[in-house]
């Protein structure tokens, strides 16, 4: 009787450990996905005095770009649209972000 109880206890403990490990693995995968998907705003083409921001989502966003000194004001971009933002001459944008 004691051996059967011990076997059942070991099996139950193993099941709990496996389910916790699965939850941790799923959480890690979700964390990685969120790092790879920074938001709806993505930097497009840019040149002297301008930059395009792509809205990759299905809702309207406000967005800007990161530059060396002071970021330009946010602009509104419709769903799946592209907005052009003005930059100071010589500014090179690093990335786009929602604001």
């Amino acid at each position: 009787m004691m051996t059967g109880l011990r076997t059942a206890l070991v099996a139950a403990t193993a099941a709990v450990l496996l389910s916790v490990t699965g939850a941790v693995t799923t959480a890690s995968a979700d964390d990685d996905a969120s790092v790879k998907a920074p938001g709806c705003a993505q930097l497009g083409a840019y040149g002297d005095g301008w930059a395009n921001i792509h809205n990759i989502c299905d809702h309207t966003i406000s967005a800007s770009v990161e530059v060396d000194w002071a970021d330009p004001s946010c602009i509104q971009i419709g769903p799946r649209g592209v907005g052009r933002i003005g930059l100071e001459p010589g500014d090179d944008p690093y990335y786009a972000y929602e604001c």
Side-chain angles (χ1 to χ4, degrees):
M1 177 85 163
M2 192 61 151
T3 303
L5 184 58
R6 190 175 308 165
T7 302
L9 182 58
V10 168
T13 303
V16 168
L17 288 174
L18 287 174
S19 66
V20 169
T21 303
V24 170
T25 302
T26 302
S28 296
D30 290 343
D31 291 344
D32 290 343
S34 66
V35 170
K36 293 177 186 172
C40 296
Q42 291 190 346
L43 180 62
Y46 61 91
D48 195 30
W50 62 274
N52 286 342
I53 302 172
H54 296 263
N55 176 0
I56 62 169
C57 294
D58 292 324
H59 59 274
T60 300
I61 63 169
S62 291
S64 187
V65 294
E66 176 73 21
V67 295
D68 281 334
W69 59 277
D71 299 346
S73 297
C74 296
I75 60 171
Q76 193 171 36
I77 306 168
R80 301 283 173 187
V82 176
R84 181 163 283 187
I85 193 165
L87 304 175
E88 295 292 320
D91 280 350
D92 287 326
Y94 298 109
Y95 59 88
Y97 64 91
E98 290 181 70
C99 41

